[in-house]
Amino acid sequence: MEEKHLRTTVLLEALPYIRKFYGQTMVIKCGGKLLDNERLKENFAQDIVLLKFVGIKPVVIHGGGPQVTQLMERLGKKVEFEGGLRKTDKETLDIAEMVLGKINKDLVNLLHRLGGKAVGLSGKDGHMIKAKKIPGELGLVGEIEKVDTGLLEILEKEGFIPVISPLGVDEDGQTLNINADEVAGKIAASIKALKLIYLTDIPGIFADPSNPSTLISTLNSQDAEKLLEEGKIKGGMIPKVKASLRALKEGVEKVHIINGLLPHSLLLEIFTDKGIGTEIVH
Amino acid sequence: MEEKHLRTTVLLEALPYIRKFYGQTMVIKCGGKLLDNERLKENFAQDIVLLKFVGIKPVVIHGGGPQVTQLMERLGKKVEFEGGLRKTDKETLDIAEMVLGKINKDLVNLLHRLGGKAVGLSGKDGHMIKAKKIPGELGLVGEIEKVDTGLLEILEKEGFIPVISPLGVDEDGQTLNINADEVAGKIAASIKALKLIYLTDIPGIFADPSNPSTLISTLNSQDAEKLLEEGKIKGGMIPKVKASLRALKEGVEKVHIINGLLPHSLLLEIFTDKGIGTEIVH
Amino acid sequence: MEEKHLRTTVLLEALPYIRKFYGQTMVIKCGGKLLDNERLKENFAQDIVLLKFVGIKPVVIHGGGPQVTQLMERLGKKVEFEGGLRKTDKETLDIAEMVLGKINKDLVNLLHRLGGKAVGLSGKDGHMIKAKKIPGELGLVGEIEKVDTGLLEILEKEGFIPVISPLGVDEDGQTLNINADEVAGKIAASIKALKLIYLTDIPGIFADPSNPSTLISTLNSQDAEKLLEEGKIKGGMIPKVKASLRALKEGVEKVHIINGLLPHSLLLEIFTDKGIGTEIVH
Amino acid sequence: MEEKHLRTTVLLEALPYIRKFYGQTMVIKCGGKLLDNERLKENFAQDIVLLKFVGIKPVVIHGGGPQVTQLMERLGKKVEFEGGLRKTDKETLDIAEMVLGKINKDLVNLLHRLGGKAVGLSGKDGHMIKAKKIPGELGLVGEIEKVDTGLLEILEKEGFIPVISPLGVDEDGQTLNINADEVAGKIAASIKALKLIYLTDIPGIFADPSNPSTLISTLNSQDAEKLLEEGKIKGGMIPKVKASLRALKEGVEKVHIINGLLPHSLLLEIFTDKGIGTEIVH
Amino acid sequence: MEEKHLRTTVLLEALPYIRKFYGQTMVIKCGGKLLDNERLKENFAQDIVLLKFVGIKPVVIHGGGPQVTQLMERLGKKVEFEGGLRKTDKETLDIAEMVLGKINKDLVNLLHRLGGKAVGLSGKDGHMIKAKKIPGELGLVGEIEKVDTGLLEILEKEGFIPVISPLGVDEDGQTLNINADEVAGKIAASIKALKLIYLTDIPGIFADPSNPSTLISTLNSQDAEKLLEEGKIKGGMIPKVKASLRALKEGVEKVHIINGLLPHSLLLEIFTDKGIGTEIVH
Amino acid sequence: MEEKHLRTTVLLEALPYIRKFYGQTMVIKCGGKLLDNERLKENFAQDIVLLKFVGIKPVVIHGGGPQVTQLMERLGKKVEFEGGLRKTDKETLDIAEMVLGKINKDLVNLLHRLGGKAVGLSGKDGHMIKAKKIPGELGLVGEIEKVDTGLLEILEKEGFIPVISPLGVDEDGQTLNINADEVAGKIAASIKALKLIYLTDIPGIFADPSNPSTLISTLNSQDAEKLLEEGKIKGGMIPKVKASLRALKEGVEKVHIINGLLPHSLLLEIFTDKGIGTEIVH
């Protein structure tokens, strides 16, 4: 009896959130490191399918950095980064495309196995992501100029979960490697998502990164901008925060940066009162 | 942490059921006695709204027997039953219509308050329930000849929960009082519902009604028919079982008779493995 | 031969009106007193069905004052009015809801018998009428804040005639009794009706209510406002004229106040040149 | 008062017919002789527009025999008939097409002036009427093989009244002159019309054509066939009756042959109890 | 092999034009003189059908001047022009309507024979072309006031090629003869055509009409206006250029005046790089 | 002038084919070897885009054998075939997925650059290709059980060209490598394609493979079956012919096996009279 009571209580406590988010789009970015762990990947896919069934429209962006590095090394390629972005020559790009493509379709497959319907896309499909090369020495790395959401809208309308690799094309049709955090932010803004959620491997943003007790639970745009300027945001968190600020400015209501190592943190964030990790609001 | 874990576990355990029932119609009949209790009524309405938000299409049929009797007594009318059906003269019918109409719109209002969208109908609206008078001394009491589901389909498509009073019209336009269990069964069959669920004030069907430990959890059509013939099914359970058998024969997959006095028994039945009460299958 | 000639003449003389009103919405309010007379009620329903078949979209609002009073008296409740509005305690509201619900579904049934398709609603269905309590001693009596026309539009599109009881809900979900004339006016404005027509039991507005030869056939908004201020408009005509003025201001083209005691006065008003009763224009 | 009473009575007496025919298609053929009289043509067009506005979908087929003969004579062509059909050489066909085209667009224009929306077609438009040459000496005269109703359905759906000239094309694209009565019958059957109505210049079919008191008001298929065999049906009535019999066999419910010289006979036929002229039923 | 190579080359060279014009509307006016030549008429119809199949939406306007003159002469009517426009009394208008109607439906038939789907219209159908009489002595000659494109849009959506005769109606329903070049220009502007193309019997506009080597291949609006003012544009070219200037001002992108005597000049203009004849741009 | 004449002639000669194939689906399989040649790949993509623009709906299946072998060798994996199918262990499958994914998205990109709209899929997307493991020693190699065409239909309706990698999933969600010729055949049958076209690196089927002058231009099912039985069909041609026979049996009208080394052989096959390569009919 007790257990039954608990179950219905949990379901009913989720109701206000289900109601509030019904029919809304959420863009969720999952880092490559998390996808390398079978259990976390399966947790993540379960959460996405649940979101879909309670009326939320998830759009998934995935990374694949560690996996790309791994194949490069196996093939004897030198791996170099500059400012957090991978130096990408023609061969590196080929490797990245292959690896991301595989991660992408694997995730699609997993979502199906768990009862969802998904389609795996890169920014090349439907020429969805128009980009231009970043000036400098990075090689075939781009920044986004425009997202064409036509294909996403069709797939959403038909009940598919779009799963997107971070690749774009420039106006000559040259494929470009793009930071997945930026892709998530731009797509969230273009498709008028309610939320943009980054699943990463740390608990969120810290006032003092060296002090785990300084996790910031809510941050507004100005404060985030200040932290950036002051250099308090570091490494892989930089593109996340930059992309978040742009997305908020372009209409996304809230950004969440949460710990993907915590099982089902996505559900906890969406269906409980307090939330976890750091949220950034306008 | 523990509690968080539990929450996500409950949500994820519901996923297979959500997936299985997504887009399916369920006809749920709630007896008048349960609706007389404010807390149970609110529980029931919460459950219905939750079903709606996780993609199930509930159609609600309500009774109102005790409430009709009460107003009849206040107005000095004599209350008579025959074979479980109320003897209904013109004035009794007027009273029943008034009382059922009020219960109906109150339930509609409650569903809205909890975040749903509902429309209250009787079998007269869109001439949904065509009936004919039952021969004999019962007066203006009918049995259903045909259900026109056009209006229900429109409302379902537009996201409304239909809430239905058990009244019909004969071919001359005469209103007739109809047993709510029969209405639920016929509508379930006509609208091709997956499940027909009776929320009542007892735990289900007993092999030996005098012995509470003899609750039958699953019953097939033949056995149910036999119990009926043997007179082991009594009172208000008779029309429920008769309507169930007809509904199963006309394509409904499963019928559940469950204890509405148990809070949120509807959710427990739909979202847990073992179910509660008695289920009848073809 | 002569008679045949006449028939075709009448039909053809109606053609310009049919053409003019084709596809237009008209909100028609019929008072409770008229609905107490079987012949007048049937006349009224016939007219509504004819309107529907010649391409007009009627929306019906009904009253029920006398019938409510009658049941209150039978149940031994004291009946009190203040400023033309009924003092409404919890029990009175229950009685009003029951009585209005019955009148409503009876009218729906009658429209069906005459070949129409109708659905009976109160302001609770689809939370159509949002109201707030009128400050003071009236009790559970409201004035309208907002009409949500979504449900009406769906029903109109699908060919149903909506029949509406004058009840609303406040933001806490409390049901409120609302003057039916006000409901008609607000709905006419919200649904962008071409005409708002009050069927009442007097011939229209009189310059001198004590002198039957002073019926005013056309009145503009200013003059109507002046008559109101000068106290020349009395009793039940006050809410009608107030609601008319608001409806005209919010875009309804014309309001008609006509004598429902005259058989088929609705058809005469709509399909003949001169019209009857009093019309109010902006 | 009296006159008012009469008006509403006529409108209400039409209601059952309006209801019965609502949404139904009627194919109406109007002979060339009637269209030569300005008053009758206008009467006819008024009736068609009224039908449209009360929810009937009229499809108009027109003739033009006298007008073709007239232009042929002006141009010095010899006019010859054989078995009621015009001998049609290339030049005669050119003249017929020109004359029919003008009558067609004039009727379209008139329907618009009276408030309708119409489109003028010949059997060439959308290659609607596929025909083959009748063997023998008639020249470019055809009989229908197939009607493609696609274009008619589009126009009906969009609210246009199709007005059709009796011309077809054979499989080589050769235009052929076709008897308008046959065209009306074939189109009625193809578009699943409820009624096929011939407006002609005599009162109907007579048991004894020489005796005006022998007008037959209802005729079944067998009897009509017998009259044909016995040679009791003569001249221009022959193709009408033949086309009627085929149309009835292919699913048209009723055929009416009525006197178009009588003003508004179309309305009388459709909206009164007894009807006029001769009706043929299966 | 060589020939094969050539074929694919031609098809592939057309691809950029096919892509560019895909889904675009082009209004093409073909003069009566060209339609008098069977071979040119067939060439023209082939080109139109090809345009349709490669995704362009052609709207055809045709003239018929020589054919009207011919029938007038046969019927002994005096033919008079004033300022390039035909003096049009009632009888002349009747003749023009008959002749244009025949040309119109012949062209429809030809398009079908070549695999297209077409519908022949005049400005009377759907009251598409609203005009008013030109003041002066011309008689029943009009200038366009408004084009109602509703019918055209329906036909385009359903895959039909509209073929239009240059006739309009004034507000009293009087038919008026209208210059076909003006009709083409107005329809092009109203339906937001990308191109307006005049197929005529001369190569284009000449700087010096007496010197064939002075053909102007591109002209902008101002220069065209200057040529008009200086009287360098003469005869039938005047209404073409005037209509072109108006069409360009109202949003048409380009006007082409090309030589219809050259076989398939329409295809050459649309699918080759240099184009032929004279193009006028804003 | 001559050249212009030629151009229009070629375009017009293509018209009957364009007309005949308008709106039809064609499944086109392009082998991995051809896609390794930049010029042939671009030719192929141009042809596909042209097909799309003239109203044909192409579905592209691609191979990638040589490219898979190449990466396997670079990674030091042993390459083994058995009966024309690649032995596929887990790592081989990973490599195949990566390589096929890259070829797939490159082709999508190229189609876009040439003006088309494309989406790259594998059989995992929308769980389109359900397969089961082939018994034996091949490892993760499957044969198709069922094609779910839902996603393809959505993409076709929205104007996208689907580009498909030959991978499927079994009922446990295990990815399986599938022969691309089989994929093409099954998809052609499932989507009710008019034609199935194999672009390969030889001219077609030879009666005597050792004698180039024995190319068979048309072959019926029985004869093809006989050639198979007699062992006259060898190597990579075996799965093509087997898949063709199945596709023909399941409703595809014609299969073409043509030489993809010949530039634009696809256009030649579709838009010329004689065709090239070998066609197989039922």
Side-chain angles (χ1 to χ4, degrees), chain A residues 7 12-13 19 114 264, chain B residues 7 12-13 19 114 264:
Chain A
R7 285 172 180 284
L12 287 163
E13 279 179 19
R19 205 154 64 203
L114 297 167
H264 303 297
Chain B
R7 281 170 184 284
L12 287 164
E13 281 179 16
R19 205 155 64 204
L114 296 168
H264 303 297

Side-chain angles (χ1 to χ4, degrees), chain E residues 42-55:
Chain E
E42 180 139 357
N43 280 180
F44 171 67
Q46 277 181 317
D47 293 3
I48 293 293
V49 171
L50 184 65
L51 294 189
K52 185 75 189 175
F53 273 103
V54 298

Side-chain angles (χ1 to χ4, degrees), chain F:
Chain F
M1 194 59 243
E2 266 320 278
E3 191 218 326
K4 284 179 179 177
H5 180 61
L6 185 64
R7 285 172 180 283
T8 57
T9 302
V10 169
L11 285 169
L12 288 163
E13 281 178 17
L15 182 53
Y17 300 98
I18 293 175
R19 204 155 65 203
K20 186 169 160 197
F21 298 138
Y22 196 86
Q24 297 287 354
T25 299
M26 297 190 185
V27 170
I28 298 146
K29 190 258 166 170
C30 185
K33 211 176 288 178
L34 302 174
L35 296 173
D36 234 10
N37 176 317
E38 283 304 313
R39 193 181 51 84
L40 290 177
K41 185 165 67 174
E42 179 140 358
N43 280 179
F44 171 67
Q46 276 182 316
D47 293 1
I48 294 293
V49 171
L50 184 66
L51 293 189
K52 185 77 188 173
F53 273 103
V54 300
I56 293 169
K57 297 173 182 163
V59 173
V60 176
I61 320 297
H62 62 85
Q67 295 90 335
V68 171
T69 296
Q70 202 177 321
L71 185 58
M72 286 178 75
E73 287 169 351
R74 257 190 88 185
L75 289 165
K77 286 282 299 176
K78 195 170 140 207
V79 176
E80 282 180 282
F81 283 88
E82 188 179 304
L85 296 171
R86 187 188 302 272
K87 280 198 163 185
T88 304
D89 61 10
K90 173 79 183 65
E91 200 186 353
T92 304
L93 184 65
D94 286 356
I95 292 169
E97 282 192 70
M98 289 198 300
V99 169
L100 290 169
K102 167 117 181 54
I103 291 172
N104 184 277
K105 299 293 185 190
D106 274 352
L107 199 45
V108 164
N109 193 19
L110 186 55
L111 290 167
H112 271 281
R113 273 214 295 112
L114 297 167
K117 285 166 58 185
V119 174
L121 305 171
S122 86
K124 294 166 154 187
D125 293 285
H127 267 201
M128 183 166 51
I129 300 177
K130 308 275 169 49
K132 66 167 185 230
K133 249 179 82 173
I134 294 178
E137 304 301 308
L138 282 165
L140 300 168
V141 176
E143 57 191 355
I144 299 177
E145 296 211 293
K146 195 170 163 308
V147 174
D148 182 336
T149 59
L151 180 55
L152 293 183
E153 283 158 19
I154 290 161
L155 293 174
E156 278 206 342
K157 207 188 97 208
E158 301 286 342
F160 289 96
I161 302 164
V163 177
I164 303 170
S165 280
L167 294 164
V169 275
D170 74 8
E171 60 181 353
D172 301 323
Q174 170 64 50
T175 304
L176 295 171
N177 199 0
I178 307 180
N179 177 279
D181 296 327
E182 183 188 343
V183 171
K186 268 292 184 185
I187 285 180
S190 304
I191 208 167
K192 298 182 192 325
L194 185 79
K195 285 179 185 293
L196 163 62
I197 301 173
Y198 289 105
L199 274 175
T200 179
D201 56 355
I202 52 165
I205 299 176
F206 292 91
D208 173 359
S210 66
N211 178 352
S213 74
T214 63
L215 179 70
I216 301 170
S217 64
T218 298
L219 199 60
N220 66 32
S221 296
Q222 285 108 306
D223 294 342
E225 215 134 353
K226 220 167 104 195
L227 288 176
L228 263 183
E229 282 163 20
E230 294 169 354
K232 294 228 175 103
I233 285 164
K234 303 231 163 81
M237 195 57 80
I238 296 172
K240 282 178 190 58
V241 174
K242 283 188 174 167
S244 299
L245 289 170
R246 264 195 309 269
L248 290 169
K249 206 182 302 170
E250 293 172 26
V252 171
E253 204 181 86
K254 240 182 219 182
V255 180
H256 301 268
I257 298 173
I258 61 181
N259 190 350
L261 299 172
L262 183 66
H264 303 297
S265 51
L266 191 54
L267 292 191
L268 287 173
E269 174 53 51
I270 293 175
F271 294 118
T272 65
D273 222 15
K274 295 194 49 180
I276 57 174
T278 299
E279 72 176 26
I280 317 181
V281 295
H282 203 45

